[in-house]
């Protein structure tokens, strides 16, 4: 009875914090079962649902299928909880949408089967990405600028070309770097795509322009970074 009461309490909090969330008929009973299941596999249902309210209306059978499929790929219970903690949307992603992701990583990105687990652990969000709309176009973009071994930079595949990659490339071009030099920098150092323009790239440019007066270590870094 204590567990059922706890589930009801969580549901009431969801109703209060997410008033626009549409709850299905008989949500009390179904939600209680869902909370009990999540707790049984070691997942804190309260924090998870608070961060991903859509879980309230997700099918329990679909959730169980997703858990079974991913843990069946040699992810331990601890690893799975970490994946869900970093990307709650995984639990509401159907197996039919997850399978194409693993297939794409293996066949097109050329990630070895033994490395798939490492790739997902590093970037759990890959699991929820659509292959046709997100992963494949991003792979093509990276290849178009000369990054041929995309399997070494799989964490970039879940990033938006329009919102993340293009603005960073344009930033360098707008401050005077040629298209060729800019492309060369990102090709040699793809991690640049993950740098914040405001918090990281601006300082790199300052270092670059003040290189001759900089600390020897800074001068070495800037020389290597910009000129290889």
């Amino acid at each position: 009875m204590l567990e059922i009461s706890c589930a009801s309490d969580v549901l009431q909090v969801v109703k209060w914090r997410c008033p626009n969330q549409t709850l299905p008929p008989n949500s009390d009973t179904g939600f209680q079962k869902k909370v009990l299941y999540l707790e049984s596999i070691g997942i804190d249902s309260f924090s998870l649902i608070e961060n991903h309210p859509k879980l309230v209306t997700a099918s329990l059978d679909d959730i169980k299928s997703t858990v079974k499929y991913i843990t069946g790929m040699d992810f331990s219970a601890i690893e799975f909880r970490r994946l869900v903690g970093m990307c709650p949307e995984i639990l509401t992603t159907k197996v039919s949408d997850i399978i194409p992701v693993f297939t794409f990583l293996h066949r097109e990105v050329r990630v070895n089967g033994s490395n798939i687990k490492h790739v997902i652990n590093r970037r759990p969000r890959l699991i929820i990405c659509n292959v046709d709309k997100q992963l494949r176009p991003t792979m093509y973009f990276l290849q178009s600028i000369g990054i041929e071994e995309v399997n070494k930079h799989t964490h970039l595949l879940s990033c938006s070309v329009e919102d993340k990659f293009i603005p960073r490339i344009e930033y360098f071009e707008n401050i005077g770097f040629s298209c060729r030099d800019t492309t060369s920098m990102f090709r040699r150092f793809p991690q640049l795509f993950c740098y914040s323009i405001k918090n990281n790239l601006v300082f790199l440019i300052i270092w670059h322009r003040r290189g001759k007066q900089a600390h020897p270590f800074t001068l070495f870094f800037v020389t290597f970074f910009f000129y290889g």
Side-chain angles (χ1 to χ4, degrees):
M1 293 298 293
L2 180 61
E3 291 177 327
I4 297 298
S5 176
C6 178
S8 298
D9 290 342
V10 175
L11 181 58
Q12 291 304 316
V13 172
V14 171
K15 291 179 179 178
W16 174 58
R17 295 195 177 186
C18 309
N20 296 325
Q21 177 68 48
T22 302
L23 300 178
N26 302 318
S27 58
D28 286 351
T29 301
F31 188 77
Q32 289 169 357
K33 292 180 179 179
K34 200 175 302 180
V35 168
L36 293 177
Y37 172 71
L38 293 175
E39 296 292 344
S40 73
I41 59 176
I43 293 178
D44 181 355
S45 58
F46 179 79
S47 61
L48 186 68
I49 293 172
E50 185 177 20
N51 293 324
H52 187 47
K54 186 179 177 181
L55 190 63
V56 173
T57 56
S59 163
L60 178 56
D61 288 338
D62 286 342
I63 292 175
K64 288 182 176 180
S65 295
T66 296
V67 173
K68 181 179 180 180
Y69 180 77
I70 295 179
T71 54
M73 298 191 71
D74 201 31
F75 287 92
S76 68
I78 293 177
E79 288 174 325
F80 181 75
R81 288 196 293 271
R82 176 180 173 277
L83 295 180
V84 172
M86 295 177 66
C87 183
E89 295 88 342
I90 289 175
L91 279 179
T92 55
T93 302
K94 295 183 178 181
V95 173
S96 58
D97 294 323
I98 296 176
I99 292 176
V101 173
F102 285 96
T103 301
F104 168 78
L105 290 173
H106 180 62
R107 294 182 179 178
E108 298 187 45
V109 186
R110 304 296 183 184
V111 176
N112 292 330
S114 58
N115 291 333
I116 289 285
K117 183 177 174 180
H118 170 74
V119 166
I120 297 300
N121 273 325
R122 183 181 184 188
R123 189 65 172 173
R125 183 160 293 276
L126 286 169
I127 293 178
I128 69 170
C129 291
N130 181 279
V131 172
D132 294 329
K133 296 179 180 179
Q134 171 67 50
L135 299 180
R136 188 174 290 116
T138 303
M139 180 186 71
Y140 288 158
F141 176 83
L142 293 174
Q143 291 173 335
S144 73
I145 64 172
I147 301 176
E148 298 180 358
E149 295 181 305
V150 179
N151 56 1
K152 293 183 178 180
H153 308 285
T154 51
H155 61 288
L156 294 176
L157 290 172
S158 62
C159 299
S160 168
V161 173
E162 293 77 13
D163 298 334
K164 197 175 186 74
F165 294 170
I166 298 299
R168 283 155 180 75
I169 289 176
E170 290 180 342
Y171 172 77
F172 279 97
E173 293 179 347
N174 289 338
I175 61 175
F177 286 88
S178 68
C179 177
R180 179 179 178 180
D181 288 342
T182 299
T183 301
S184 177
M185 283 189 289
F186 281 95
R187 181 171 60 249
R188 292 204 307 266
F189 195 67
Q191 291 89 334
L192 264 179
F193 284 124
C194 299
Y195 282 22
S196 163
I197 293 177
K198 180 179 179 180
N199 297 326
N200 301 115
L201 297 184
V202 169
F203 293 103
L204 283 176
I205 298 304
I206 292 175
W207 284 1
H208 172 59
R209 291 176 173 173
R210 297 180 180 177
K212 293 182 179 180
Q213 293 79 35
H215 185 279
F217 174 78
T218 302
L219 180 59
F220 168 79
F221 176 79
V222 171
T223 301
F224 172 80
F225 182 81
F226 286 99
Y227 304 108

